[in-house]
């Protein structure tokens, strides 16, 4: 049984409750409080810290690679593809406006993509023409062959550069977002799991583990890959991304954020260490999971990629291995919509939550 003090503070009714404290949940809370400062907003998070993909990613400020944009245009058409590129571009700009680079270790070193065939190069002018109105660059993507040797990527045939991408420290960004939420008087219940949701005529009741409950006028699901419990009708496919990090490497040449094979592989320097993730296309069915584990098969595959593509003829040792859980679908468009009179969702960020979440938060603030 709760005390009157708990019931009238921590478990009192709120205007809006957000489930999930990752990038989309925090940016949504910030956008709502900036637009409607009088509204009370509570974020419920089942873990002690934000988890999912937000604290388990590779720290990419991800704009997207050339082959990724080409692939998306073929699957979704150019209209949806350009809308998505615009959201990512503006999302990264918003991060830059809100936080100083040294607060979140943001580095705009440019993004690169390794190609070993020239087919995508045939689309280079077309893609650049379409992206010009978004980025303001005549050439958003361009060949940068002289950097292949500079970065030690001797076995790569082509290197495509774009100036719109960078890297950051995901944990520090989340901490700054939490600080901003506290400044705006967003409230939190960490380590609190939602058991069920009951929508009634005048309110919505969120039942928590331990026979607790809290009520609200509206609820927003920002649970990304962990949404099946609440959003059974939506197409949300969990996608585990496995990552490894090397020990420091003397004389490391690599600098920047890199993609390979339509973004299925991604790597960057973290100081003088190499952070590498991806390869789930080698074992797609196994990686359609919400289990935070690494597999021997995929970790060995990543080590081989590291040895053959990134650090040929160099010795390295692995310092850390981990995994994060993304949410995918048959296309990359996020699901941002109203589900019922009082329920909304902002999920399925397709591994690009760092860049998309700032804009998704704005969309949700308009929608409620």
């Amino acid at each position: 049984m709760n005390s009157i003090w708990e019931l009238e503070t921590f478990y009192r009714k709120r205007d809006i409750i957000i489930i999930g404290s990752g990038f989309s949940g925090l940016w949504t809370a910030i956008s709502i409080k900036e637009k409607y400062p009088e509204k009370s907003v509570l974020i419920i998070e089942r873990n002690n810290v934000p988890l999912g993909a937000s604290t388990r990613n590779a720290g990419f400020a991800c704009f997207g690679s050339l082959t990724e944009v080409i692939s998306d245009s073929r699957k979704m058409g150019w209209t949806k593809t350009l809308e998505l590129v615009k959201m990512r571009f503006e999302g990264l700009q918003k991060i830059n406006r809100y936080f100083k680079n040294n607060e979140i270790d943001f580095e705009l070193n440019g993004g690169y993509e390794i190609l070993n065939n020239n087919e995508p190069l045939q689309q280079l002018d077309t893609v650049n023409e379409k992206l010009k109105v978004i980025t303001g660059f005549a050439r958003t993507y361009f060949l940068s062959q002289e950097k292949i040797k500079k970065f030690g990527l001797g076995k790569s045939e082509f290197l495509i550069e774009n100036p719109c991408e960078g890297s950051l420290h995901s944990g520090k960004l989340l901490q700054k977002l939490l600080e901003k939420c506290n400044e705006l008087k967003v409230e939190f219940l960490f380590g609190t799991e939602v058991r069920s949701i009951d929508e009634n005529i005048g309110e919505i009741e969120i039942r928590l583990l331990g026979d607790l409950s809290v009520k609200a006028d509206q609820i927003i699901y920002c649970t990304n890959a962990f949404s099946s419990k609440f959003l059974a009708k939506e197409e949300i496919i969990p996608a585990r991304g496995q990552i490894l990090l090397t020990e420091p490497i003397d004389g490391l040449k690599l600098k920047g954020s890199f993609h390979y094979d339509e973004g299925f592989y991604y790597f960057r320097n973290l100081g003088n260490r190499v952070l590498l993730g991806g390869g789930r296309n080698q074992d797609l069915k196994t990686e359609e999971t919400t289990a935070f584990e690494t597999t021997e098969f995929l970790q060995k595959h990543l080590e081989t990629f590291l040895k053959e593509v990134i650090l040929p003829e160099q010795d390295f040792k692995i310092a850390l291995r981990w995994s994060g859980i993304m949410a995918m679908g048959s296309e990359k468009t996020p699901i941002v919509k109203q589900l019922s009179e009082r329920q909304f969702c902002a999920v399925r960020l397709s591994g690009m939550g760092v860049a998309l979440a700032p804009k998704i938060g704005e969309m949700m603030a308009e929608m409620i």
Side-chain angles (χ1 to χ4, degrees), residues 36-255:
Y36 306 105
E38 75 284 356
K39 286 189 181 291
S40 56
V41 177
L42 170 70
I43 296 179
I44 298 177
E45 168 60 54
R46 69 175 179 174
N47 300 291
N48 294 325
V49 298
L51 207 60
S54 294
T55 52
R56 295 297 186 93
N57 56 41
F60 273 56
C62 207
F63 174 76
S65 66
L66 173 65
T67 59
E68 207 167 356
V69 171
I70 293 170
S71 175
D72 289 347
S73 71
R74 288 171 178 164
K75 290 175 185 174
M76 304 191 301
W78 274 112
T79 300
K80 285 185 177 181
T81 298
L82 293 176
E83 286 174 359
L84 205 53
V85 170
K86 187 171 186 284
M87 281 180 67
R88 296 197 296 255
F89 183 73
E90 292 181 352
L92 294 178
Q93 287 183 317
K94 184 170 181 176
I95 293 172
N96 244 340
R97 289 197 304 272
Y98 271 63
F99 307 113
K100 296 175 182 176
N101 288 356
N102 62 356
E103 291 178 325
I104 57 174
D105 295 352
F106 184 83
E107 294 184 6
L108 192 63
N109 290 327
Y112 303 90
E113 179 175 21
I114 294 172
L115 297 176
N116 286 320
N117 69 81
N118 66 0
E119 185 183 346
L121 301 181
Q122 316 307 314
Q123 302 291 318
L124 198 58
D125 291 342
T126 300
V127 173
N128 280 336
E129 186 61 32
K130 290 190 178 289
L131 265 59
K132 185 164 58 175
V133 68
I134 296 171
T135 66
F137 294 112
R139 294 189 307 154
T140 301
Y141 297 102
F142 52 90
L143 269 173
S144 203
Q145 296 297 89
E146 74 285 354
K147 291 188 178 180
I148 293 175
K149 185 176 180 181
K150 176 184 175 182
F151 294 140
L153 302 169
K155 294 189 177 180
S156 305
E157 193 169 346
F158 302 103
L159 191 65
I160 302 292
E161 182 174 354
N162 85 77
C164 303
E165 189 155 324
S167 59
L168 48 74
H169 192 300
S170 298
K172 290 182 179 181
L173 175 56
L174 282 164
Q175 284 188 323
K176 297 306 292 185
L177 290 170
L178 287 166
E179 287 177 19
K180 185 68 178 175
C181 283
N182 288 326
E183 178 188 315
L184 294 169
K185 296 190 171 13
V186 175
E187 297 174 278
F188 291 87
L189 286 177
F190 279 103
T192 304
E193 186 164 353
V194 174
R195 191 177 67 194
S196 62
I197 308 290
D198 294 321
E199 184 170 350
N200 305 309
I201 293 174
E203 62 192 9
I204 193 160
E205 184 172 9
I206 297 94
R207 298 188 183 277
L208 312 171
L209 288 184
D211 294 324
L212 298 169
S213 70
V214 60
K215 296 176 181 179
D217 290 331
Q218 296 172 309
I219 186 172
I220 304 170
Y221 301 101
C222 293
T223 41
N224 208 30
F226 299 86
S227 299
S228 57
K229 178 179 178 180
F230 310 113
L231 310 175
K233 295 180 181 178
E234 303 299 332
E235 186 201 22
I236 301 170
I237 304 168
R240 181 169 60 196
Q242 297 192 36
I243 294 170
L244 57 77
L245 177 69
T246 70
E247 296 279 4
I249 297 169
D250 289 337
L252 181 67
K253 295 179 179 179
L254 195 75
K255 190 165 182 62

